[in-house]
């Protein structure tokens, strides 16, 4: 295993486990589907466990889209109060910088993929969808909330995952969030979100309006001997893509946008009544941006050293 893969595993706290997560019990799956315990408890699912292979696939797919949102589906199973994501596959969808929608071709592709998987003995089911938020964090927009509500209504158990490829490249750690929505008749509580997030000013309204319509799940990552060879092979491709891409320019644009966003937030604070908490949040954003900028400089220096030593 390469040193860079070891660093990725350590940075994202990917735990080595036995091979039990990769076995699928069809009878247990049917029992859970029939009992539907999540109908009686809106917070029944409390966590998701994602295989390192699925994690790397999502990151690579998200980064391939650049500033355009991408989308895919996740396959796996339930395990008590957790949803286990064992693998993912990308969907051929048309995205923009602010949204992504599945068209008829994407749904046809989805059905064909699942049928082909069953034919080769992959009994796992689709347990959620993922998409990217390039540069503006991991949360659900109004469109995302509606999509996830419909998914939970017709094909539960189902989760939504959001990955930010720009912040992942900038910090070196995968920026990912997993969520489930409440039903339409669920009583929404007052107050702000339970966890603070750095949201761009032009996205704050969309975030604030819908942040109480869903809740976050605890996220952990795992790997086992089953996916070791595939993980090593995929990591080589990931490193090639990272070294050959213009990460420096992408990181500079991201940091520049972050600084500009903080400037706009400070100007707004000067024009309107604010609290100490509002200023503290901007300070937190500034610290986070500084750390990401430093990480970007270190990555650029390492990349330059690698190419110079190989020439």
């Amino acid at each position: 295993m390469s040193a860079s893969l070891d660093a990725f595993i350590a940075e994202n706290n990917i735990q080595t486990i036995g091979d039990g997560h990769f076995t699928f019990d069809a009878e247990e799956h049917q029992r859970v589907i029939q009992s539907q315990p999540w109908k009686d408890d809106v917070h029944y699912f409390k966590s998701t466990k994602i295989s390192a292979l699925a994690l790397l696939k999502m990151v690579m797919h998200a980064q391939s889209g650049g500033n355009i949102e991408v989308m895919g589906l996740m396959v796996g199973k339930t395990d008590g109060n957790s949803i286990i994501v064992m693998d993912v596959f990308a969907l051929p969808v048309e995205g923009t910088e602010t949204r992504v929608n599945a068209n008829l071709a994407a749904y046809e592709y989805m059905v064909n993929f699942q049928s082909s998987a069953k034919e080769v003995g992959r009994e796992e089911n689709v347990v959620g969808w993922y998409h990217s938020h390039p540069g503006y964090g991991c949360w659900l927009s109004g469109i995302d909330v509606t999509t996830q509500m419909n998914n939970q209504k017709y094909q539960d158990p189902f989760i939504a995952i959001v990955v930010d490829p720009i912040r992942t490249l900038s910090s070196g750690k995968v920026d990912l969030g997993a969520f489930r929505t409440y039903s339409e008749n669920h009583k929404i509580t007052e107050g702000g979100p339970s966890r603070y997030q750095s949201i761009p000013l032009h996205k704050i309204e969309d975030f604030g309006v819908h942040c109480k319509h869903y809740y976050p799940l605890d996220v952990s990552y795992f790997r086992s001997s089953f996916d070791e060879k595939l993980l090593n092979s995929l990591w080589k491709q990931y490193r090639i893509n990272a070294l050959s891409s213009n990460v420096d320019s992408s990181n500079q644009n991201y940091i520049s946008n972050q600084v500009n966003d903080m400037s706009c937030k400070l100007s707004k604070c000067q024009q309107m009544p604010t609290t100490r908490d509002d200023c503290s949040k901007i300070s937190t954003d500034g610290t986070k941006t500084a750390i990401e900028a430093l990480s970007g400089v270190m990555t650029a220096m390492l990349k330059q050293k690698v190419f110079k030593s190989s020439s």
Side-chain angles (χ1 to χ4, degrees):
M1 187 180 297
S2 67
S4 58
L5 178 53
D6 284 338
F8 178 83
I9 289 172
E11 182 69 25
N12 293 285
N13 194 27
I14 300 175
Q15 301 294 313
T16 302
I17 61 166
D19 299 330
H21 277 339
F22 287 92
T23 59
F24 182 79
D25 189 331
E27 292 184 1
E28 174 63 16
H29 172 72
Q30 285 301 320
R31 186 194 68 78
V32 172
I33 293 298
Q34 290 174 4
S35 60
Q36 297 184 330
W38 51 85
K39 294 289 187 181
D40 300 321
D41 181 5
V42 293
H43 295 106
Y44 176 78
F45 289 111
K46 296 176 173 56
S47 65
T48 181
K49 302 173 183 178
I50 305 172
S51 75
L53 188 65
L55 174 65
L56 197 52
K57 281 185 176 182
M58 282 190 283
V59 171
M60 291 178 67
H61 184 207
Q63 291 179 352
S64 71
N67 291 323
I68 302 300
E69 288 193 14
V70 300
M71 176 182 172
L73 292 179
M74 305 175 291
V75 293
K77 63 178 184 178
T78 61
D79 181 22
N81 299 112
S82 295
I83 291 181
I84 299 177
V85 178
M86 291 183 275
D87 202 359
V88 301
F89 62 94
L91 285 178
V93 297
E94 296 180 1
T96 68
E97 293 185 358
T98 57
R99 67 180 62 183
V100 62
N101 295 311
N103 52 28
L104 185 60
Y107 285 112
E108 184 178 351
Y109 179 89
M110 185 193 329
V111 172
N112 291 335
F113 182 94
Q114 292 182 82
S115 299
S116 299
K118 300 291 185 185
E119 290 175 2
V120 296
R122 293 292 301 269
E123 296 298 328
E124 302 88 4
N125 297 282
V126 173
V127 293
W129 68 298
Y130 71 89
H131 71 290
S132 60
H133 276 185
Y136 52 95
C138 300
W139 47 280
L140 298 184
S141 67
I143 294 175
D144 299 338
V145 167
T146 301
T147 300
Q148 179 60 18
M149 279 184 174
N150 287 330
N151 285 329
Q152 288 181 207
K153 185 176 181 180
Y154 297 108
Q155 46 186 339
D156 232 1
F158 215 84
I159 61 172
I161 280 182
V162 182
V163 58
D164 188 331
I166 307 297
R167 292 186 178 182
T168 295
L169 276 175
S170 182
S171 67
K173 182 178 181 180
V174 178
D175 191 11
L176 180 149
F179 311 95
R180 276 181 60 83
T181 52
Y182 298 117
S183 61
E184 294 178 351
N185 56 2
H186 178 75
K187 184 178 180 181
I188 303 300
T189 58
E190 297 296 327
S194 57
R195 301 179 186 178
Y196 172 68
Q197 289 194 63
S198 177
I199 309 294
L201 190 60
H202 68 285
K203 295 285 186 181
I204 285 181
E205 183 176 356
D206 191 18
F207 171 76
V209 169
H210 303 99
C211 66
K212 281 298 180 179
H213 292 271
Y214 60 90
Y215 70 94
L217 281 72
D218 292 330
V219 179
S220 61
Y221 309 113
F222 67 90
R223 66 189 180 102
S224 76
S225 59
F226 272 15
D227 58 1
E228 198 70 28
K229 289 184 178 180
L230 280 173
L231 185 60
N232 276 283
S233 177
L234 194 61
W235 180 256
K236 291 178 182 178
Q237 184 60 51
Y238 175 75
R239 292 298 296 167
I240 291 172
N241 292 346
L243 289 172
S244 61
S245 62
N246 193 359
V247 178
D248 304 345
S249 175
S250 176
N251 189 62
Q252 289 171 8
N253 291 335
Y254 167 68
I255 297 298
S256 177
N257 290 335
Q258 289 294 97
V259 172
N260 181 65
D261 184 67
M262 284 186 289
S263 175
C264 292
K265 288 178 179 177
L266 285 171
S267 297
K268 188 175 181 180
C269 284
Q270 293 175 343
Q271 297 169 6
M272 300 174 62
T274 56
T275 64
R276 183 182 295 271
D277 186 50
D278 294 326
C279 296
S280 176
K281 290 177 179 178
I282 299 176
S283 176
T284 300
D285 290 349
T287 302
K288 180 175 179 291
T289 300
I291 293 172
E292 290 173 340
L294 179 60
S295 176
V297 170
M298 293 173 63
T299 300
M301 292 175 63
L302 179 61
K303 182 177 177 181
Q304 186 179 35
K305 186 175 181 179
V306 168
F307 280 109
K308 276 190 175 182
S309 61
S310 60
S311 60

